[in-house]
Amino acid sequence: RRRRHRVPTPPALSALDPAADLNFRTISRRGLASPSRAWGGHLTGGGGGDGGSSGPLPTNAWYGNLLSHGAASDPSRAGEVAHVYAVPYVVGVSPPGPPRFPSPEPRGRAETMAGIDILLPYMKTSAGNVQMVYLKSNGVSLGAIVDRGTGADVRAPTSYKVDADEELSPLGVSLKWDHVAMRTSIVRGMPYGTMRYGRDPGGRHVLPVITAGSRVRSILVDGEAGSPGTKMLCGSLTGGAVDQDPNRRAAVTSDGRAETHDVRGEVIFQLSQSDFTWVAFFSKPVKVRCFSDAVPAVSAPGTDSEVKFRLDVTAVEDGGSDDELVVRVALLSECSSGRGTIREHCDFLGTLGYDTVSSKSGREGYLSALRKGAGLYSKSPLVGVDLPGDGGEDDEGRMTNVVFDWDATPVNPAGRGGDSGVALGASALRAPSSGGGKVPDDDDFIMFALPHHLEALEKVGGGEVGDDASCFHTFHGRTCLVRGSVWNLPVSHGEPQSFLADRPPAPEAIPSLAEALNEDIKYKLSGNVFRGAADTYFPAKVLAKLGRIVEINEELRGLRSNDDLGYSDADEVMIEESASSAAEVPLPSDSDVTSLLDDLERAVEIWLKPGGREEKGAEAEFLYDTSWGGFINCGCNYTFTKGHEGDGSCYNSYPNCPAVEDVNKDFGNAFYNDHHFHYGYHIYAAAVVAKHRPEWGRKYFQQVLLYIRDIANPSPEDKNFPTFRQKDWYLGNSWAAGLMSMELSPHGREQESSSEAIAAFEGIALYGQAMMDAFGDGESYESARLVRNVGELLTSMEVSAANRFWHVWGSKSAEGGDVSSGSGKIHVNTYPSKYTKPVVGMMYDTMASFQTWFAPQDVVSYGIQLIPFTAVSERRDDPEWTRVLYPVYADACEDANEGQDGRFCEDNGWSIVQAGLLAETGQIKEALDLASNIPDIWNSDGACGNSRTNTIWFISTRKPDDVAVAE
């Protein structure tokens, strides 16, 4: 189904093929680096293993673990890695094998259950870690029995593939099982686990099975408002009578025999050990029976089953309809009585200061909302971006409307809606604006929204948000139901990105700034950088460093000439004082500036030439990956002569590509790790060259676009790259972890440096603006404007996400406790107060951890959120947060220096970051003094891509303490 035009879709940045049109060589992936067989109809040739795909595939998507090679080969053995956090549920694909039917049912058949696990996680928090954990026994599994004796592939009877009938979506993935007619859509924010059942080859309905790891305490059938429903009893798992312990009685018949019940629409069952209460909705009338473990009055030895409750549909009454049977399961309460296995979590919920679905006051309204919404499910949702249109290029109020179209699909196409006799009014759900024309019944559609969604939807709706209790407390904050099948989420671009800070360098700092500039302008790149004989990260940081030197020189020349530089936070007096100071200092000669620009152009350009060294391109050449649709690097096996480390070369050449075979090469670039970190520096440097040499910019526009198309392609019309590779639209942040995270990480996707992600998108915006100036008008101008708008949008969203998930401070904690905020702003701290670190070093889908991949010292976890020093840093780093962070950063630097000859921070560049952070608190003079005492490491790897020039510039353009505190 082609539905992409239901949401705004930007045009492609380019129609050029990286190989056929731009001559980059190609490579096809194999082994774990190839798409798994789970991609099904999206594959060509090999069908998973070695081969290509029929189009670009997402490599960093949040649901990737479900499509790993491990999950594809045998979901039943994939373990905890094959789980994803759909919010609020963790969803897995390896249900435990249910117990066989008790006597007198046939006991010889081998039963395997295919389907999904629906698990509600809860938080475990320490001073340096917040983690979502779950007990599998507390969850439920929804699926069907696969009979090994029917000719199914006995190696993987529970295998599935991506449903080729549905479009790929950044908000979810649709799966179709290979050996049973069963489909599901796993979507961010889903209130229910949903399974669609077809018919077997003989035309018989596939019969659903629900299992749980806890025995059943009570079951109610077909309740409604004002009536709890009919009680139902199960048979015992042993098939015989059980003399139960009266204090732990299960809902089991006295003789242990199962009863068959007619179900018109729903079954509510409360489980004993977990204390969870669940509701299952059926789109057609069905007959069901159940079996449960029971606790005998006198315990006896015996085998213990992983499954302690099983509900089977034994017949479907469809009245001749060919519609699928749709079963939807949702958690009603995680703390039904307060006597379950996670009592500590239930006690914690009572401290939040707001109600949740498990609060007594919220249960009735939440159940009412679930009943009303059960008739519509999200199948293949779409994300659209309505970017700014023509005109208003100088307007600082540019906005993008991000649109989620949830693809609300009726469970019964012939008659829409669920239990229409149940009113929704008691739930007081937030209702987002649908932006013109409501689709009948779609306002009954419900999904869970995170706090930043609620804030945006409230602005669009223009009304007060009710204090409803249809919320879970999740890893990402208060997560509440909203109604409406389309969400409009406006994102302000903020002030246009600039190479300049909001104010000029302080006049008293300009002499030292000019002194550093005159020295740094003569910086010489090593020979290997000019030949592209290196990885794609560290040399790129050096290129961006040179770009900053060029821009600072340009700024000081502009001040000297009294040019209108457009500072957004400087009055005439401030600008005149800085201009007077700039007029009194010597600046680099034109020849020195030209020489540096020549070197920068040459070093940026080498990576943009296809064909490797034989075509005068980079020795570590870029390639187009035909299996995934991506711009990756071949890699470099580096060799050098001792004493001439910077003049070495790569002793490999295409097709011998070490980075393509080894995830540990080049930071996993060819495995789609950190692409935005790496390419962001390249793009920033290209923006500087294009700004000063527009003819070069026009010549290499399409080549630079390959970096941008790889990490931020805005359009499905571009058939060579997936859209927005790094982006998690639901959470709002980017993910750095790529292919191997799917195979190995039980915590899902991950990103370390939020600041480098922000800088990458800042670079895209600046490059777009530089190329708008270079083109002036025409088709290429429009493409450049699209680049700028995409960069601004992603920068704004990434800044917001960093302040939600990586920067930890605020005037409210996740539990609702108030603390003072000197800035007068209200900032809600996402994490529980037990997490005491002011940053998150590594953010995963289900874990926030104070650590990094590459060093154990605390200062590294702090510093990695603060690099590089560019103009966007002022938007990124709230002054209140910097004042919380600086004292612990300084202490961490001292701690790291112990045992390292007192030089860990200096040798590794973290003392430079400390000086910049001190300036962000408003202590400009003290920061300049600190920077002046840093040893001469500016040209070393430890300088973290910073120059002395840029460090002084950064410090001297921060807001002074009297202004920062006042605001």
Side-chain angles (χ1 to χ4, degrees), residues 497-505 513 516-518 520-523 525 539-557 565 567 588 593 596-597 600-601 604 680-692 759 762-763 766 867-874 876 938 943-958:
Q497 299 303 318
S498 173
F499 290 109
L500 305 175
D502 291 346
R503 58 201 66 80
L513 177 59
L517 179 61
N518 278 288
D520 288 339
I521 204 79
K522 298 175 182 178
Y523 181 88
L525 292 167
K541 296 182 73 167
V542 174
L543 299 185
K545 164 183 172 177
L546 297 192
R548 288 297 312 140
I549 293 169
V550 169
E551 286 305 308
I552 293 166
N553 174 73
E554 180 83 356
E555 180 178 6
L556 290 182
R557 287 189 174 198
L565 299 179
Y567 295 112
V593 175
L596 185 64
L597 263 172
L600 182 59
E601 175 186 315
V604 170
Y681 289 111
H682 286 273
I683 295 165
Y684 193 99
V688 173
V689 178
K691 176 186 174 185
H692 292 271
E762 174 196 30
L766 291 171
I867 59 173
F869 288 164
T870 62
V872 79
S873 302
E874 187 156 337
R876 182 191 70 204
W938 301 99
C944 292
N946 283 301
S947 64
R948 189 158 71 98
T949 297
N950 193 54
T951 301
I952 296 172
W953 171 87
F954 184 83
I955 292 171
S956 65
T957 56
R958 299 307 91 188

Side-chain angles (χ1 to χ4, degrees), residues 263-347:
V263 177
R264 178 171 54 88
E266 74 176 42
V267 174
I268 295 176
F269 52 98
Q270 181 182 345
L271 301 176
S272 181
Q273 295 101 314
S274 67
D275 201 32
F276 284 14
T277 299
W278 300 82
V279 58
F281 297 98
F282 301 87
S283 65
K284 299 180 180 182
V286 295
K287 294 183 182 295
V288 302
R289 64 179 176 181
C290 59
F291 301 87
S292 177
D293 188 21
V295 182
V298 179
S299 61
T303 59
D304 186 35
S305 171
E306 189 177 0
V307 173
K308 300 186 183 300
F309 170 69
R310 169 175 176 164
L311 178 78
D312 287 86
V313 172
T314 60
V316 180
E317 300 177 13
D318 57 15
S321 168
D322 291 331
D323 292 347
E324 297 171 311
L325 170 65
V326 181
V327 181
R328 314 195 71 192
V329 176
L331 181 66
L332 275 181
S333 176
E334 56 198 305
C335 304
S336 303
S337 67
R339 300 192 300 270
T341 52
I342 54 171
R343 266 180 239 177
E344 182 181 351
H345 171 66
C346 294
D347 293 340

